[in-house]
Amino acid sequence: MSVNRVEQAAGWDDQIATLKGLGCSRMFFEEASTRGERPEFHRMLAEANQHAVGGSRVCLVAAKMDRAFRDLAAADEAITRPVNRDIIWLLPDLSPHPLDPSDPTQMLLVRMMGAVAQFERDRLAERRAYGIAKAKKEGKYRGRKPTARAKTPEVLALMQRGFRPDEIAKQLEIGRASVFRILRDQRENAG
């Protein structure tokens, strides 16, 4: 399971309910951008590969196709050309049964639904870019809210308590560079 943004995390409940209803025994949770790495997804595949040995099949389940795969190429690759042929996918939003890569009708459905999802994502990105350009032209665009700088008080408090920048970054879940930037800004403002 995955969600793309924190605002979409409300979708967890529906995904968890779907997976529990299907009898899933192990779940992987990941909040990842569409461009970033997906360590939990890769951990899930690695674990499935370990269990799918000697003809023992493993069924990976995703509540929805777009939660498992970022684009049509990724879905096609994972379903029709898996690294391990003993790993199969169940995508209940497409079929109540595990997908059979040798079934042309199922693969047509996977590719059509994947193409529609890809089209929707591309159109959304286009509309977002248009909206941002319009807001900038009108002087209304301020960009995304700064995340690390909002944690300046916490960074400074931890620094005063003797924590190293690496420790601060890890504890506050921000980048090391952000910690150094906050500390530099603090020194410049004090001097």
Side-chain angles (χ1 to χ4, degrees), residues 114-129:
V116 169
Q118 179 87 43
F119 174 73
E120 287 177 351
R121 237 183 334 268
D122 293 346
R123 291 289 305 200
L124 177 64
E126 183 180 298
R127 287 191 301 272
R128 186 180 312 115

Side-chain angles (χ1 to χ4, degrees), residues 82-111:
V83 173
N84 185 332
R85 293 274 175 206
D86 290 325
I87 295 177
I88 57 174
W89 285 89
L90 172 60
L91 304 172
D93 62 329
L94 297 183
S95 171
H97 308 290
L99 298 173
D100 178 1
S102 64
D103 181 342
T105 304
Q106 280 190 347
M107 292 306 99
L108 174 64
L109 181 61
V110 166
R111 290 178 179 125

Side-chain angles (χ1 to χ4, degrees), residues 19 22-28 44-45 47-49 51-53 55-62 84-92 95-100:
L19 296 175
L22 291 167
C24 292
S25 59
R26 174 96 164 88
M27 295 186 205
F28 293 80
M44 177 187 68
L45 291 177
E47 193 172 303
N49 275 316
H51 292 290
V53 292
S56 177
R57 294 192 106 180
V58 172
C59 183
L60 297 177
V61 183
N84 185 332
R85 293 274 175 206
D86 290 325
I87 295 177
I88 57 174
W89 285 89
L90 172 60
L91 304 172
S95 171
H97 308 290
L99 298 173
D100 178 1

Side-chain angles (χ1 to χ4, degrees), residues 30-42:
E30 184 163 64
E31 291 182 23
S33 82
T34 56
R35 294 181 188 98
E37 287 296 316
R38 298 181 68 193
E40 286 301 305
F41 182 78
H42 295 296

